Amino acid sequence: MFKIYLKIAFRNAFRYKGNSIINIAGLAIGLTCVILIALFINDELSYDRFFNDADQVYRVNLNGKMGDDEFYAGYTPPPAGETLVANFPEIESYTRIYRPGVDVLEYSNGSEKQIFNEENMFAVDANFLEVLSYPMLKGDPIKSLQEGNSVVITNSIAEKYFGDADPLGKILFYGKERTPLKVTGVLEDMDNLQTSVEFDILVPVSNFSNVKRFNWSWVWLQMATYVKLTEKAAENPEVINHLESQFPELIRLHAANAFDRIGQPYEEFLENGNKWDLHLQALTDIHLHSNDIESAITEQNSVKNLYIFAIIAFFIIILASVNFVNLATAQASKRSKEIGIRKVLGSPRIQLIKQFLAEAIFYTVVSTFLAVVLVWVFLPLFNQLAGKTINFNSIYDNGIWLFIICLSLFTALLAGIYPAFYLTSFKAANVLKGVSKVANSKDGFIRNGLVIFQFTVAIIMIIATSVVYLQLNYTKNRDLGYDKENLLVIRNAEKLDGSEKTFRSELEALSEVKNAAVSSGMLTRGSFGDFYFPKASNSDEKVAKDIILQSYLVDEHFMKTLDLKLIKGRAFDNYFNDSLSVVINEAAAKQIGWENPIGRMIQYPGGKMESYKVVGVLKDFNLESLHSHITPFALFSNTSESYETGVSYITLKVSSENIGKLMSSIEKKWNDYQPNVPFEYSFLDDDLNTAYISDQRQANLFGVFSFLTIFIACMGLLGLIAFIAQQKTKEIGIRKVLGASISEIVQMLARDFVMVIVIAMLIATPVAWYFMNKWLQDFAYKIEIPWWVFIVSGGMALVIALFTMGFQAVKAAVANPAQSLRTE
C-alpha cells in the first residue's frame, strides 16, 4: 500500500510542478541549515574528547581576590601539581604547561638554512603526552620528552623544516643561544583535532631557568596545571567536591612561606578579605565553559553560542515546515474535488491521511538528499565563515547520520500532519456541490498565525544581525583612549641583544616615522600583572591595602607615540631619574582611593621590594578588546629593575604614505642588526580586528541565516497569497467587471498581509530587544540598541514581503474576468 501512496505522491509532484519545486526547495534549504549547524555543534562538543581517559583529566584553576580585584584564571603556581599529587591519593599524576613566548627555531643542512620565529611553542613536563594523549605519527609518547634536549613537533612543522625527509633524529637550534634540540616525535596537526590546547612544538620545561627559579612560588602564575584523577574518583562528583573542599587548608600550609617572602603574611592576606583558591575543571568542559576564566593557552568558546545556533536551527526547520503547510492548504481547492470523489468511491479518511503523510515523506526524503548535496557543496564556505575545518565525512560520526534520518522524519510529520487532517476533513457532498471548507475563518486564522510566526522569526533574525554589526562597528570606531591609526608594532625586539634604543633612534630618523617607542608589552598582546601595596600618607587615610596592577615597562617616548592622555602630573623624561617612578591610570587611582595621587607611593612586594612614586595619572584607555573592562594599570620606566618579562616591542607612529618603501627600509635595518631572527610586524588596528574575529564570524553566520529565514518566510508567503488569490478568483472577476483597477485589486489582496507583518514586527521587537541585550552583556562596553533598528528591520521585512506578494497579486489582478466567472 505504501508503494501505491508513493506512486500517487510522485504523480502529484509532477502535476503541481510549481508548488513541488517551492516545497522541495524550502525544505532542502531548511534541512541544509540544520545539518550545517548540527555539524558545527558536534564539532564544538567534540573538543578534548579524543584523549585517552579524557573524563579523568582536570585543569587546576585559581580563583584569586586582592582588594577589589577578583579573577579566575586557568593558571596555577609552579608547585601546585606536585603538592596536590603528594597530598591526595585520588590524584594520580599531574603535568604542566608553560608558554615561553616567541623565539627562533633554526635548521641547518649544509648550505641550506631554515629559520623561523615560532610563537606556538609550549614547554611541558616530561609526562605531558601521557596525561594528554595527542595522536603521535612517529616516536614514543612516553619517552619522547624524557631528555632535556628533545623536541616534539607537529607534522606541518616537520614539513616546514625538513620537507619530505624523516624528521626523527634531526637537530633544531632554539633561541639566540642556539640550544640543540633533537626531534624525538611527530604529532598529528592540531587543525585535524578538536582540542582546547593547540600548539606546534613541545620542549621539556627543564630548559627554562625562570620556571626552576620560581618553583618555590605560590604567587607566580605563569603555568597551566592538569591533573589526572583515579578512575574511581573521576566517576564520583562528591569525591571531586570533597577534594576541592580540602584545597584551602592545603594552600594555607604550603603557600604561607611564599607569601612571607614577598612581604605579605598569608593569614593577614586572608583577613583583608582576599582569597587564593584552587578549583578543578573537567578537561571536556574547558572549551565551552570558560567564559570568565583567563587563559592564553586554551582555545575557548561559549556554550551560549551553541544554544543560540541550536535555537536558530530549530526555528529554521519550523519555518520550512510551515511553508509546506501553507502551500499544501493553498492547493486545497484544487485537490478538494479529488478528495470528494475518493471519499464517494469508499476511501476511508485514515487512508487519505496516510496518502498525504506519504506525500510529505516523499517531499522530505527528496529534500533531504538534496540537502546533503548542498551541505557537501557549501561546507567549505561554511567552514570559512565559522572558522572551522569540519570534514564532510564527519556527517557519519557521532550519530550525525542518525540525526539526519530522524530530522527528516520529524520534518515530514511536522509538515504533513496538519495538511493531512485538514484536507481530509472536507465533506464529500459539500465539495462536489462547490461548497469548500477553505473559507472557514478558523483555518484562515491558523494560516495567518503561521505567517505571523514566520515573519516574527525572520524579523528577530534581521534585528539580531543588525545589532551584532552595530556592536562590531562600535568596537572599531569607539575612542579607546589612544590613537590606533598608523601604529606599526615590531615584534621580538628583545632579540636585538640590548640594542633596542639604538635601533629605535635609527627608525625614528626615517622621514616616514613620526614617533617611536620601546615597551615590554603592547595593546591586545597581554601585560605583566602583579599585586602592589599602596601606602597611606597617614594612619587615618583609608586606601586599598593592596591592588592588582597590569603594567608595561616603557621608555620616555611611549606615551607620545600612542597619544595617551595625561590628566595629572608628568610623563617619563630623561631629565629625571625615573627608575623608581610610576604612572597610573584613573582606574588605579580610584580603586586605591587617592583623590590626588601625585607624589604618593606604592610598594612592589616582588623583585627588590622597592617603592615607586606616582608622577602621573593617565586617562583610562582600553588595553584589550571591549569585551574586557578597563582595569587598574601602570607604566613603569624601562630603567626600573622591578621585574623582567623577556619581551620587547618597538612601536612606530608612521605616515600612511609610502608604506611599502618604509617596510623595506625597516626590514633592511633589522637584518643589519639581527640577521638570524626573521623580521615580524603588525599594525595595531589589525591586531584589534583580530580580537573581534569570533564576533565577526558570528555576525557573518547571523547574516547568512537571517537572509535564509526571510527567504523561507517569503516562500511561505508566496504560497499563502496564491491561496488567497485562488479563493477570491470570482470576487476579483466581479470587481474587475464592476470597474476596479489593477492597483485596487492588488491592494485588496495585500492589505491583510501588511497587517500580519505589522503584528509580527510588534511581537518580534520586545523578544529581539531582550535577547540582544543579553548578548551584549558579553561586552564591557556596548551600544544601546537604537529604536530605529526595530523600525528598519520590520520595514525591510515588509518591503521584501510586498515584493514577494506583488508578482502573485498582479498576476491575479490582470487575469481575464470572463474566464474566472465562467467557472461558476
Side-chain angles (χ1 to χ4, degrees):
M1 182 62 74
F2 188 70
K3 183 178 180 181
I4 296 172
Y5 291 154
L6 288 179
K7 186 180 292 186
I8 296 172
F10 186 77
R11 289 173 179 172
N12 280 324
F14 275 88
R15 183 180 178 188
Y16 305 109
K17 293 185 182 68
N19 281 347
S20 298
I21 290 171
I22 294 175
N23 265 330
I24 292 171
L27 288 173
I29 292 171
L31 288 165
T32 300
C33 292
V34 175
I35 294 171
L36 286 172
I37 291 173
L39 290 171
F40 174 84
I41 292 174
N42 177 66
D43 184 83
E44 289 288 302
L45 293 175
S46 299
Y47 268 70
D48 297 320
R49 296 185 184 276
F50 66 89
F51 292 117
N52 297 333
D53 306 321
D55 293 336
Q56 294 175 238
V57 180
Y58 287 73
R59 182 174 68 179
V60 184
N61 297 327
L62 189 140
N63 182 205
K65 182 177 183 294
M66 296 177 181
D68 294 333
D69 289 317
E70 184 170 359
F71 64 92
Y72 202 14
Y75 301 112
T76 59
E82 182 180 5
T83 306
L84 291 173
V85 169
N87 285 272
F88 301 107
E90 297 91 344
I91 302 175
E92 59 181 44
S93 62
Y94 76 95
T95 195
R96 300 172 302 170
I97 303 171
Y98 170 66
R99 191 164 200 160
V102 181
D103 220 326
V104 171
L105 208 60
E106 176 188 334
Y107 173 65
S108 299
N109 185 14
S111 59
E112 183 183 349
K113 181 186 287 188
Q114 300 283 356
I115 183 167
F116 298 96
N117 290 319
E118 295 296 351
E119 184 172 6
N120 208 12
M121 175 187 288
F122 286 169
V124 297
D125 286 319
N127 67 339
F128 178 78
L129 293 174
E130 295 179 63
V131 177
L132 296 175
S133 53
Y134 287 88
M136 189 164 252
L137 303 178
K138 294 182 179 181
D140 186 337
I142 296 176
K143 299 178 181 179
S144 58
L145 290 167
Q146 294 295 328
E147 300 295 330
N149 67 334
S150 58
V151 60
V152 174
I153 58 179
T154 59
N155 191 53
S156 58
I157 294 294
E159 291 176 354
K160 182 165 76 170
Y161 285 92
F162 311 117
D164 296 330
D166 184 358
L168 290 185
K170 296 286 194 302
I171 302 297
L172 291 168
F173 296 95
Y174 173 68
K176 65 180 181 181
E177 297 86 3
R178 299 187 81 249
T179 303
L181 300 174
K182 183 171 71 173
V183 178
T184 54
V186 179
L187 297 169
E188 189 173 331
D189 286 337
M190 298 294 117
D191 288 346
N192 301 327
L193 305 171
Q194 281 77 40
T195 174
S196 60
V197 184
E198 292 189 0
F199 54 86
D200 292 325
I201 300 161
L202 296 176
V203 293
V205 75
S206 58
N207 288 292
F208 296 89
S209 59
N210 54 344
V211 175
K212 294 178 184 177
R213 189 167 71 249
F214 286 106
N215 259 338
W216 61 270
S217 177
W218 279 83
V219 293
W220 192 71
L221 305 180
Q222 300 293 325
M223 305 196 78
T225 300
Y226 290 77
V227 295
K228 184 176 180 182
L229 274 60
T230 63
E231 186 175 354
K232 185 178 179 180
E235 290 174 350
N236 192 339
E238 292 183 3
V239 172
I240 297 171
N241 292 334
H242 180 65
L243 271 175
E244 290 187 320
S245 70
Q246 298 176 77
F247 289 170
E249 186 60 30
L250 179 83
I251 296 175
R252 188 186 299 270
L253 290 173
H254 291 271
N257 289 337
F259 275 79
D260 286 339
R261 285 179 65 169
I262 62 171
Q264 173 68 83
Y266 189 67
E267 293 300 328
E268 182 182 322
F269 175 79
L270 295 178
E271 288 171 4
N272 290 339
N274 300 319
K275 61 182 176 181
W276 207 249
D277 297 334
L278 297 180
H279 296 279
L280 299 178
Q281 182 184 21
L283 174 66
T284 51
D285 286 345
I286 290 174
H287 179 64
L288 291 175
H289 300 276
S290 300
N291 255 14
D292 300 321
I293 302 175
E294 302 171 21
S295 175
I297 287 177
T298 54
E299 182 188 342
Q300 298 173 176
N301 197 354
S302 172
V303 71
K304 183 168 67 175
N305 292 334
L306 300 197
Y307 294 145
I308 291 172
F309 285 117
I311 291 169
I312 290 172
F314 175 75
F315 281 117
I316 284 178
I317 201 63
I318 295 291
L319 293 185
S321 300
V322 166
N323 274 0
F324 189 96
V325 172
N326 279 337
L327 290 170
T329 54
Q331 287 182 295
S333 62
K334 291 182 180 179
R335 301 197 63 178
S336 58
K337 289 183 180 179
E338 171 199 339
I339 295 164
I341 292 170
R342 291 179 65 177
K343 281 190 172 184
V344 168
L345 294 176
S347 293
R349 187 183 181 193
I350 188 65
Q351 189 180 81
L352 295 174
I353 289 172
K354 290 178 181 179
Q355 172 63 52
F356 285 109
L357 285 176
E359 290 183 18
I361 292 172
F362 169 77
Y363 282 119
T364 307
V365 169
V366 173
S367 300
T368 302
F369 279 110
L370 181 58
V372 171
V373 173
L374 291 175
V375 167
W376 177 74
V377 171
F378 289 107
L379 187 57
L381 177 61
F382 180 81
N383 279 334
Q384 186 177 346
L385 289 173
K388 289 289 182 182
T389 55
I390 301 170
N391 191 294
F392 180 76
N393 290 334
S394 61
I395 210 167
Y396 306 111
D397 298 337
N398 297 332
I400 295 291
W401 62 271
L402 182 60
F403 167 78
I404 294 172
I405 292 172
C406 293
L407 176 68
S408 181
L409 293 174
F410 170 75
T411 305
L413 291 173
L414 192 67
I417 280 180
Y418 177 72
F421 282 88
Y422 171 77
L423 293 173
T424 59
S425 65
F426 299 161
K427 291 183 179 179
N430 288 341
V431 169
L432 297 177
K433 288 178 184 178
V435 180
S436 175
K437 184 187 174 183
V438 292
N440 190 310
S441 60
K442 180 182 176 182
D443 298 322
F445 176 79
I446 292 174
R447 279 187 293 275
N448 284 338
L450 292 175
V451 174
I452 289 173
F453 169 77
Q454 285 188 306
F455 275 89
T456 297
V457 175
I459 293 170
I460 288 172
M461 286 297 298
I462 294 172
I463 293 171
T465 304
S466 302
V467 171
V468 171
Y469 276 106
L470 284 172
Q471 176 64 24
L472 283 176
N473 186 61
Y474 172 75
T475 60
K476 292 176 182 177
N477 296 299
R478 184 181 187 270
D479 181 9
L480 299 175
Y482 56 87
D483 185 4
K484 65 180 179 179
E485 300 300 325
N486 300 318
L487 280 177
L488 177 68
V489 181
I490 299 174
R491 307 173 198 170
N492 310 319
E494 71 279 1
K495 303 298 189 300
L496 294 172
D497 296 329
S499 300
E500 294 101 314
K501 290 186 178 180
T502 307
F503 185 67
R504 185 211 72 81
S505 298
E506 289 194 21
L507 295 183
E508 194 174 40
L510 296 173
S511 60
E512 298 89 354
V513 177
K514 299 177 181 178
N515 293 298
V518 180
S519 61
S520 66
M522 197 54 209
L523 307 174
T524 76
R525 293 187 169 271
S527 55
F528 178 83
D530 214 329
F531 62 94
Y532 295 77
F533 302 149
K535 292 187 176 181
S537 57
N538 57 67
S539 58
D540 295 330
E541 186 182 28
K542 293 183 179 180
V543 298
K545 295 181 179 179
D546 43 38
I547 183 174
I548 297 176
L549 286 178
Q550 303 297 320
S551 65
Y552 299 155
L553 300 172
V554 302
D555 65 9
E556 65 275 14
H557 307 282
F558 184 80
M559 291 173 57
K560 183 179 179 181
T561 302
L562 272 73
D563 194 23
L564 298 177
K565 305 297 189 295
L566 196 67
I567 59 174
K568 288 182 181 180
R570 65 173 178 85
F572 298 135
D573 196 302
N574 281 335
Y575 289 106
F576 300 92
N577 178 6
D578 280 322
S579 61
L580 293 177
S581 299
V582 62
V583 177
I584 63 175
N585 68 349
E586 294 174 284
K590 182 179 179 181
Q591 187 164 316
I592 292 171
W594 285 335
E595 290 185 9
N596 184 14
I598 304 302
R600 311 304 290 272
M601 306 293 289
I602 60 173
Q603 183 183 16
Y604 178 45
K608 298 181 179 181
M609 304 282 288
E610 293 173 323
S611 294
Y612 294 82
K613 179 189 288 186
V614 178
V615 298
V617 179
L618 287 170
K619 180 179 174 60
D620 283 339
F621 64 97
N622 291 90
L623 283 173
E624 303 292 339
S625 72
L626 296 187
H627 285 283
S628 305
H629 287 280
I630 292 174
T631 57
F633 179 76
L635 297 177
F636 292 93
S637 171
N638 56 12
T639 60
S640 167
E641 297 180 359
S642 59
Y643 63 85
E644 295 179 6
T645 63
V647 178
S648 186
Y649 297 89
I650 296 177
T651 305
L652 310 177
K653 184 70 174 180
V654 301
S655 168
S656 58
E657 300 175 359
N658 299 320
I659 290 294
K661 176 186 173 185
L662 173 64
M663 297 315 304
S664 298
S665 300
I666 295 174
E667 186 169 7
K668 183 176 182 302
K669 286 183 178 295
W670 176 275
N671 290 331
D672 290 340
Y673 273 81
Q674 185 51 277
N676 295 319
V677 178
F679 174 64
E680 286 190 350
Y681 70 93
S682 63
F683 283 92
L684 184 58
D685 53 356
D686 291 335
D687 292 338
L688 283 167
N689 289 337
T690 301
Y692 300 109
I693 192 166
S694 176
D695 301 305
Q696 186 65 57
R697 286 169 178 164
Q698 192 173 29
N700 293 337
L701 289 174
F702 266 42
V704 170
F705 291 131
S706 177
F707 168 79
L708 291 174
T709 53
I710 195 71
F711 179 76
I712 293 171
C714 286
M715 291 177 70
L717 186 62
L718 185 67
L720 197 53
I721 192 71
F723 169 78
I724 296 298
Q726 186 183 78
Q727 296 309 307
K728 295 189 175 184
T729 300
K730 295 181 180 61
E731 179 185 343
I732 292 169
I734 293 170
R735 284 178 180 271
K736 290 193 70 176
V737 168
L738 294 176
S741 65
I742 292 175
S743 63
E744 289 173 334
I745 292 172
V746 170
Q747 288 177 31
M748 177 196 74
L749 291 172
R751 183 170 56 243
D752 291 340
F753 292 106
V754 171
M755 183 57 65
V756 163
I757 294 168
V758 169
I759 293 171
M761 185 172 68
L762 293 175
I763 296 171
T765 296
V767 175
W769 179 87
Y770 174 80
F771 283 107
M772 292 318 296
N773 267 297
K774 285 285 187 183
W775 179 81
L776 287 169
Q777 297 309 310
D778 284 345
F779 292 86
Y781 304 94
K782 53 188 179 291
I783 62 169
E784 291 292 333
I785 303 176
W787 61 268
W788 55 263
V789 167
F790 304 102
I791 304 297
V792 170
S793 299
M796 186 185 302
L798 182 60
V799 168
I800 294 170
L802 288 173
F803 181 80
T804 303
M805 291 186 294
F807 172 76
Q808 191 69 42
V810 170
K811 180 181 175 182
V814 299
N816 187 347
Q819 188 173 4
S820 62
L821 293 174
R822 205 180 298 137
T823 61
E824 185 64 55

